[in-house]
């Protein structure tokens, strides 16, 4: 600790403290929790996980697999069992999008 005591923040949205600490350093702070709801802001949504997929067969090659056959197939894949990934589409564009949401 450097021994500097400073109050930080007046509650405005720009008051986000970002810092790196070295070994042995620490922060002392007072924080307040506020309850909100999702209509006000998405950060209050009771969502625990979100999945997004647009190229289940990797035809656009936005993901490069070290060994394609080791990766699990998507639930939305249109490939045969013996295929690992679709042929490369140089000028392909995503046309379908899948979202998965787990909520509490």
């Amino acid at each position: 600790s450097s021994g500097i005591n400073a109050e930080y923040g007046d509650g405005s949205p720009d008051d986000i403290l970002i810092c790196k600490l070295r070994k042995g350093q620490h922060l002392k702070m007072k924080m307040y929790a506020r309850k909100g709801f999702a209509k006000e802001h998405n950060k209050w949504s009771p969502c625990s996980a979100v999945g997004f997929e647009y190229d289940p067969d990797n035809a656009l090659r936005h993901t490069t697999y070290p060994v394609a056959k080791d990766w699990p197939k998507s639930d939305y894949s249109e490939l045969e069992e013996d295929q690992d990934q679709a042929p490369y589409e140089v000028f392909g564009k995503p046309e379908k999008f899948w979202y998965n949401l787990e909520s509490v």
Side-chain angles (χ1 to χ4, degrees):
S1 171
S2 64
I4 298 172
N5 291 324
E7 288 193 25
Y8 185 82
D10 59 1
S12 71
D14 296 329
D15 288 341
I16 299 173
L17 177 62
I18 299 174
C19 65
K20 281 188 173 183
L21 299 176
R22 291 186 180 171
K23 191 173 182 175
Q25 290 183 320
H26 65 275
L27 295 174
K28 183 177 180 181
M29 61 183 78
K30 186 187 286 188
M31 297 188 291
Y32 299 92
R34 184 174 79 101
K35 185 177 179 181
F37 54 96
K39 284 185 181 180
E40 180 183 333
H41 194 283
N42 196 36
K43 67 184 173 188
W44 304 113
S45 175
C47 171
S48 59
V50 176
F52 169 74
E53 191 171 355
Y54 64 90
D55 185 18
D57 300 325
N58 199 29
L60 305 177
R61 298 297 191 270
H62 291 164
T63 303
T64 53
Y65 304 134
V67 181
K69 66 181 176 140
D70 291 344
W71 283 70
K73 277 202 175 160
S74 167
D75 292 339
Y76 309 106
S77 177
E78 297 174 357
L79 295 176
E80 299 296 326
E81 284 297 319
D82 61 335
Q83 291 180 301
D84 297 325
Q85 56 186 352
Y88 180 46
E89 296 179 21
V90 178
F91 300 108
K93 292 185 179 180
E95 296 175 358
K96 292 182 183 177
F97 299 87
W98 294 274
Y99 294 91
N100 295 322
L101 175 69
E102 293 179 21
S103 62
V104 288

